[in-house]
């Protein structure tokens, strides 16, 4: 069945930009940039009805480091006399509180999924390792004392 439709993904080499086309024949599409902590970041050509959650799903979902509480959307707004960029945050951790306006995407949007603090993780990993090493040394010292 997939052979008969135009739904698919096209991805260049690992070091080059990725472009994904996800549409059925005859659908009106829009281009969206998806960056950051998703499995397949890149430029997506998706149906005009695609919302934020669907787009992230097309990208394979968020990675383990993704901060779903602070998804950023940058949108170009064309006014009568000027073109400006508007940025806003969306909290995807509470999908039940997310209104339709926050989920809606517009052509040319750039979505960025940031990551949780890697520094905290690194500090925690080092502290855990140091604690285990200290406990092991203390056990060896106590074993030789007896």
């Amino acid at each position: 069945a997939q052979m008969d439709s135009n739904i698919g993904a096209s991805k260049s080499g690992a070091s080059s930009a990725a472009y994904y086309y996800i549409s059925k024949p005859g659908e009106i599409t829009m281009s969206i940039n998806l960056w950051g902590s998703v499995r397949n970041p890149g430029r997506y050509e998706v149906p005009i009805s695609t919302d934020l959650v669907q787009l992230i799903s097309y990208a394979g979902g968020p990675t383990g480091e993704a901060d779903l509480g602070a998804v950023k959307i940058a949108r170009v707004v064309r006014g009568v006399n000027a073109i400006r960029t508007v940025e806003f945050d969306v909290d995807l951790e509470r999908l039940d509180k997310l209104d339709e306006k926050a989920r809606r995407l517009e052509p040319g949007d750039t979505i960025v999924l940031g990551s949780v603090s890697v520094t905290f993780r690194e500090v925690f990993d080092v502290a855990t390792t140091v604690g285990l090493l200290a406990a092991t040394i203390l056990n060896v010292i106590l074993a030789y004392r007896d």
Side-chain angles (χ1 to χ4, degrees):
Q2 287 186 357
M3 300 282 289
D4 295 333
S5 71
N6 286 338
I7 297 176
S10 164
K11 186 173 180 181
S12 305
S15 64
S16 61
Y19 178 82
Y20 302 91
Y21 182 83
I22 301 168
S23 179
K24 294 178 184 172
E27 275 188 310
I28 298 172
T29 62
M30 63 181 167
S31 293
I32 304 288
N33 299 305
L34 182 57
W35 301 345
S37 298
V38 292
R39 302 216 186 281
N40 299 303
R43 184 159 182 90
Y44 283 79
E45 186 78 20
V46 295
I48 200 88
S49 62
T50 303
D51 69 18
L52 179 59
V53 174
Q54 290 170 325
L55 177 68
I56 293 170
S57 296
Y58 289 148
T63 63
E65 291 94 24
D67 182 1
L68 295 177
V71 177
K72 298 196 179 301
I73 297 179
R75 178 170 293 156
V76 175
V77 178
R78 289 169 178 78
V80 176
N81 296 324
I83 297 174
R84 61 188 172 91
T85 302
V86 176
E87 295 182 7
F88 53 96
D89 293 332
V90 176
D91 183 355
L92 289 179
E93 288 188 4
R94 295 296 313 260
L95 287 176
D96 59 327
K97 302 271 185 198
L98 197 61
D99 65 355
E100 181 62 32
K101 184 179 176 187
R103 292 173 73 124
R104 191 187 70 216
L105 297 174
E106 293 187 15
D109 279 357
T110 297
I111 291 93
V112 180
L113 269 75
S115 60
V116 293
S117 177
V118 175
T119 306
F120 174 76
R121 251 189 222 145
E122 290 173 350
V123 168
F124 183 75
D125 287 346
V126 170
T128 302
T129 303
V130 169
L132 288 173
L133 183 58
T136 302
I137 291 171
L138 182 61
N139 281 335
V140 169
I141 290 172
L142 291 175
Y144 279 112
R145 285 183 134 183
D146 292 338

